[in-house]
């Protein structure tokens, strides 16, 4: 039992401490009982439909309430509705093992520790213990963690009572297999997701439209972050209230064409004219040297992309001020040929780009390039470009700084996080400038529609790569002081 806070003050000073200790101990053992849920979470927890979907944007606490529903099912009781008494077999199905670790952590955070057998344990690195990766309850219930990369035959041999799918599966084959395993038990499926993050969801939308799956859809609105019975909203991890101002800021920070999905949980991204809607020529385009905008201490970074369609290499030169809380970006030069190029032509063009700002190759702190490209008629990679530049400079040894491959060591889904990083820099006053000489980059920032087929994507990629050491978590050379007159 959790004691009410006011009861503590009738017991004297020692009694207050004893009651507080008891409350903390109870919260540690039974954290599930301490949570106050928001309207979207409560709607999910109260739903009595056999198949139901909680569809929202990011940061709504979908995984938390999915974990709670799972645990209530395994415990055999539920504060909001009748459920099957234990024991049951429950599965958590997700896209990848790395994703499952974060889910397992939330399950363990809410799990009543005295309700599971002593052998059940969790580690931040490996998740739940054992080959089966299971949570075993004293009443006999079991939670097993599954990913869609596992052999589908494993699904065909199991009889289960409850399935929780965190994020959509991308196809209806696995979903149908799970339905078959629930047929004998009359079991249920719950889905928590932000749409458009994987695969074609036409199959899921059709099930919702047919009324076979209950669709609990909530938009990013202030009232959806206020727990039941409370007057104040939730807080972020850094202590900020998730109120109307926070909601407005989060929506504004999100790329315009992504807001429908990332903020409001809609099925599809909205079509907009520009993916980087925060960019404004009047605010971000300046004559940087003449206006004296540059600080004295900057890093120099270059980014290179091999345009596979036009067979041309795009380059961007950045000056970066890292002395503040957030980096300040100054795009100072571009190399954007109008037709296909050879690797030797690229070497000449990049050195000319540096010369226009009075820089040398050795002034660069970082140089990041696209992965190797090899087509029927053209082959380009970082090593070949480094050799060509060394030849032009008359160097006998290794080119320094060397050209690193930007995509090496990154997750496959790095693209949009890196674009959002740049977009947020544009939003911060005084943190993103493009010199007026970079005419193609300016046009690209205004007109790129977010698609991979756009003619502007090559130079956008070059810009992303030049910042790889910042958004990609790389540490490297320290900043240098430019000994030049600005």
């Amino acid at each position: 039992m959790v004691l009410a806070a006011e009861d503590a003050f009738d017991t004297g000073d020692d009694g207050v401490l004893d009651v507080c200790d008891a409350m903390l101990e109870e919260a540690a053992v039974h954290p599930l009982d301490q949570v106050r849920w928001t309207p979207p979470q409560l709607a999910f927890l109260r739903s009595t439909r056999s198949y139901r979907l909680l569809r929202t944007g990011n940061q709504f606490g979908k995984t938390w309430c999915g974990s709670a529903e799972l645990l209530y099912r395994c415990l055999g009781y539920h504060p909001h509705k009748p459920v099957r008494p234990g024991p049951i077999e429950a599965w958590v199905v997700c896209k990848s093992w790395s994703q499952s670790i974060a889910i397992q952590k939330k399950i363990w955070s809410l799990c009543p520790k005295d309700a599971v057998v002593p052998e059940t344990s969790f580690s931040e690195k490996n998740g739940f213990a054992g080959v089966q990766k299971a949570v075993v309850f004293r009443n006999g219930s079991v939670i097993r963690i599954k990913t869609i990369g596992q052999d589908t035959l494993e699904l065909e041999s199991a009889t289960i009572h409850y399935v929780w799918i965190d994020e959509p599966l991308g196809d209806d084959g696995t979903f149908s297999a799970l339905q078959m395993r629930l047929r004998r038990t009359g079991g249920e499926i719950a889905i928590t997701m932000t749409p458009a993050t994987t695969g074609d969801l036409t199959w899921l939308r059709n099930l919702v439209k047919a009324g076979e799956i209950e669709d609990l859809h909530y938009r990013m609105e202030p009232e959806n972050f206020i727990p039941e019975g409370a007057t104040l909203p939730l807080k972020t991890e850094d202590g900020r209230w998730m109120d109307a101002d926070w909601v407005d800021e989060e929506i504004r920070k999100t790329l315009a064409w992504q807001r429908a999905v990332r903020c409001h949980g809609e099925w599809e991204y909205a079509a907009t004219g520009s993916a980087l809607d925060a960019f404004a020529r009047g605010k971000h385009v300046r004559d940087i040297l003449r206006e004296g905008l540059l600080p004295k201490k900057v890093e120099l970074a270059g980014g290179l992309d091999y345009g596979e369609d036009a067979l041309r290499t795009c380059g961007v030169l950045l000056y970066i001020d890292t002395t503040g809380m957030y980096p300040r970006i100054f795009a100072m030069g571009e190399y954007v040929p109008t037709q296909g190029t050879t690797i030797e032509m690229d070497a000449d063009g990049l050195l000319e780009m540096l010369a226009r700002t009075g820089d040398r190759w050795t002034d660069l702190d970082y140089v990041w390039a696209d992965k190797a490209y090899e087509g029927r008629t053209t082959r380009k990679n970082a090593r070949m470009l480094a050799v060509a530049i060394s030849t032009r400079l008359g160097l006998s040894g290794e080119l320094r700084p060397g050209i690193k491959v930007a995509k090496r060591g990154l997750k496959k889904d790095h693209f949009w996080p890196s674009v959002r990083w740049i977009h947020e820099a544009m939003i911060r006053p005084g943190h993103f400038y493009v010199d007026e000489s970079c005419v193609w980059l300016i046009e690209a920032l205004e007109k790129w529609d977010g698609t991979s087929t756009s003619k502007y994507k090559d130079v956008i990629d070059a810009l992303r790569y030049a910042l790889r050491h910042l958004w990609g978590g790389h540490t490297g050379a320290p900043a240098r002081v430019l000994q030049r007159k600005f």
Side-chain angles (χ1 to χ4, degrees):
M1 169 177 150
V2 180
L3 295 176
E6 56 267 23
D7 294 338
F9 296 98
D10 295 329
T11 60
D13 292 341
D14 292 338
V16 169
L17 295 176
D18 290 342
V19 170
C20 289
D21 287 342
M23 293 173 69
L24 290 172
E25 183 177 348
E26 176 71 12
V29 176
H30 297 119
L32 187 59
D33 297 333
Q34 318 305 317
V35 183
R36 299 171 72 181
W37 302 103
T38 61
Q41 293 170 329
L42 274 174
F44 180 79
L45 293 171
R46 287 171 174 164
S47 172
T48 57
R49 291 283 298 275
S50 295
Y51 294 169
R52 59 196 171 280
L53 160 66
L54 178 59
R55 177 164 62 96
T56 73
N58 301 125
Q59 302 187 61
F60 274 73
K62 298 182 298 296
T63 307
W64 282 110
C65 66
S67 299
E69 179 74 5
L70 174 76
L71 290 167
Y72 284 134
R73 298 298 182 125
C74 290
L75 293 168
Y77 74 88
H78 202 296
H80 301 294
K81 61 196 174 191
V83 295
R84 178 197 307 267
I88 68 166
E89 170 108 354
W91 282 10
V92 180
V93 182
C94 47
K95 291 185 291 186
S96 66
W97 185 251
S98 59
Q99 178 202 9
S100 82
I101 295 295
I103 296 170
Q104 292 178 57
K105 182 177 180 180
K106 291 178 180 179
I107 294 171
W108 187 242
S109 296
L110 289 174
C111 183
K113 305 305 184 291
D114 59 354
V116 298
V117 299
E119 293 78 15
T120 295
S121 62
F122 172 82
S123 77
E124 298 274 348
K125 180 179 180 181
N126 299 315
F128 292 118
V131 177
Q132 294 290 330
K133 297 299 180 183
V135 181
V136 182
F137 292 79
R138 293 183 184 273
N139 68 355
S141 291
V142 179
I143 298 172
R144 301 191 193 279
I145 311 298
K146 303 288 183 179
T147 67
I148 58 175
Q150 292 174 298
D151 191 345
T152 307
L153 291 177
E154 211 174 309
L155 301 179
E156 303 296 340
S157 61
T159 299
I160 49 184
H161 303 85
Y162 182 77
V163 176
W164 169 32
I165 301 171
D166 190 70
E167 298 302 336
L169 301 175
D171 67 81
D172 60 352
T174 304
F175 188 81
S176 297
L178 291 168
Q179 285 182 296
M180 292 291 293
R181 296 307 99 209
L182 293 164
R183 182 172 295 172
R184 288 181 59 189
T185 63
E188 302 180 17
I189 296 179
I191 304 172
T192 55
M193 73 168 192
T194 297
T197 56
T198 184
D200 182 1
L201 297 178
T202 302
W203 64 274
L204 183 56
R205 296 180 69 171
N206 288 338
L207 289 174
V208 167
K209 187 176 181 180
E212 296 183 35
I213 296 180
E214 181 183 18
D215 184 24
L216 303 169
H217 176 220
Y218 290 85
R219 294 174 57 82
M220 194 171 198
E221 297 169 346
E223 58 267 26
N224 289 327
F225 297 95
I226 301 176
E228 183 182 40
T231 56
L232 294 174
L234 300 172
K235 283 186 177 182
T236 62
E237 290 187 2
D238 61 0
R240 181 172 177 184
W241 293 109
M242 298 169 75
D243 54 14
D245 289 341
W246 176 84
V247 167
D248 289 344
E249 182 177 332
E250 290 300 306
I251 293 173
R252 183 169 56 89
K253 284 164 54 178
T254 305
L255 297 171
W257 69 278
Q258 290 189 328
R259 287 171 188 165
V261 171
R262 298 287 182 184
C263 297
H264 301 305
E266 302 292 349
W267 286 107
E268 295 177 339
Y269 292 119
T272 62
S274 172
L276 297 165
D277 67 309
F279 181 77
R281 186 182 289 258
K283 180 168 64 174
H284 295 112
V285 178
R286 308 288 283 272
D287 186 340
I288 293 175
L289 290 177
R290 185 181 63 80
E291 296 181 42
L293 296 176
L294 284 177
K296 293 296 182 181
K297 188 176 182 180
V298 294
E299 294 177 349
L300 269 65
L304 314 170
D305 178 77
Y306 313 128
E308 297 182 8
D309 293 332
L311 302 179
R312 65 179 184 181
T313 296
C314 288
V316 170
L317 171 65
L318 302 182
Y319 291 177
I320 307 170
D321 173 18
T322 61
T323 59
M325 180 177 296
Y326 298 103
R328 300 175 67 214
I329 313 302
F330 302 85
M332 298 298 299
E334 66 178 11
Y335 163 61
V336 186
T338 58
Q339 59 187 7
T341 57
T342 66
I343 205 77
E344 291 77 19
M345 293 167 67
D346 292 335
D348 290 337
L350 293 169
L351 292 174
E352 289 172 6
M353 176 184 71
L354 290 170
R356 286 195 292 271
T357 54
D359 296 309
R360 300 166 298 175
W361 187 268
T362 52
D363 291 324
L364 291 164
D365 293 287
Y366 303 95
V367 185
W368 297 97
D370 196 2
K371 65 180 181 180
Y373 170 71
E374 186 168 355
R376 292 183 177 180
T377 59
T378 303
R379 181 164 67 98
K380 294 184 178 183
N381 59 48
R383 181 187 61 79
M384 293 173 62
L385 184 57
V387 170
I389 292 172
S390 293
T391 300
R392 290 295 190 266
L393 295 176
L395 301 177
S396 57
E398 183 179 353
L399 181 68
R400 294 186 181 278
I403 302 175
K404 297 182 179 181
V405 178
K407 294 180 180 178
R408 188 168 295 156
L410 290 176
K411 297 179 180 179
K412 290 183 179 180
D413 60 350
H414 70 274
F415 180 81
W416 284 113
S418 67
V419 174
R420 285 195 293 273
W421 191 99
I422 295 171
H423 191 252
E424 290 183 9
M426 294 177 183
I427 293 172
R428 297 186 188 102
H431 280 71
F432 187 89
Y433 292 110
V434 182
D435 191 78
E436 60 186 19
S437 63
C438 301
V439 292
W440 185 253
L441 178 59
I442 294 167
E443 184 174 337
L445 293 170
E446 285 182 323
K447 297 182 179 180
W448 179 53
D449 60 4
T451 65
S452 60
T453 57
S454 169
K455 66 179 181 179
Y456 299 113
K457 184 174 179 294
D458 297 342
V459 74
I460 295 294
D461 281 341
L463 174 64
R464 290 193 309 113
Y465 295 153
L467 296 163
R468 159 68 170 84
H469 56 292
L470 295 176
W471 56 258
H474 174 81
T475 56
R480 64 177 73 243
V481 176
L482 292 181
Q483 299 296 327
R484 298 197 291 104
K485 294 179 181 180
F486 293 137

